[in-house]
Amino acid sequence: MSQLVRDAMVSEPLALAATATAQEAGAALARPDVRAVFVCDDGRLVGVVTRKTLVREVVAAGLDPVTTPLGSIAEPPNATLESTTPLTDAFAFLEERDYERVPVVEDGNLVGVLSRAVVQRRLAEDEPPAESDV
């Protein structure tokens, strides 16, 4: 049986409400393991905020991070994947566009994030052994 994106995605990725502030996103992005914060409005993915977004849209624009809502600065995601996409198709998509990770949605609602490295490992585990390995 072929695997789907939902089988390899990380569930419950870091997401903040569109009404959360730039300061809250900054606190999350201060952690070294966080590269982006997904912004949702009632579960629906509306955008992404990165460190670069905060610098350009808040700091450089002279906005107050305590009062600037994420919904006003979030950038649309470059791409999304449906959770029901076959994993091999998702891997080809990530490779073609050279994406490291992509948000996963179901009917527009954020349900996870798919990492190219995780997909590579997952697909390698499913490959039959090479003739020389037998």
Side-chain angles (χ1 to χ4, degrees), residues 78-97:
N78 290 331
T80 60
L81 287 167
E82 285 289 330
S83 64
T84 56
T85 303
L87 203 51
T88 52
D89 293 351
F91 182 66
F93 177 83
L94 294 171
E95 285 285 301
E96 282 172 17
R97 289 164 182 82

Side-chain angles (χ1 to χ4, degrees), residues 53-116:
T53 309
L54 290 177
V55 169
R56 184 183 61 247
E57 300 296 327
V58 180
V59 178
L63 298 178
D64 181 356
V66 174
T67 61
T68 302
L70 293 182
S72 70
I73 63 168
E75 300 173 301
N78 290 331
T80 60
L81 287 167
E82 285 289 330
S83 64
T84 56
T85 303
L87 203 51
T88 52
D89 293 351
F91 182 66
F93 177 83
L94 294 171
E95 285 285 301
E96 282 172 17
R97 289 164 182 82
D98 198 30
Y99 291 152
E100 289 302 317
R101 58 194 57 76
V102 173
V104 179
V105 295
E106 286 180 0
D107 299 320
N109 290 324
L110 181 67
V111 294
V113 64
L114 187 69
S115 160
R116 184 165 58 175

Side-chain angles (χ1 to χ4, degrees), residues 14-19 37-41 44-49 70-71 74:
L14 178 58
L16 293 173
T19 56
V37 173
F38 296 111
V39 180
C40 295
D41 186 7
R44 193 159 204 75
L45 179 64
V46 295
V48 180
V49 171
L70 293 182

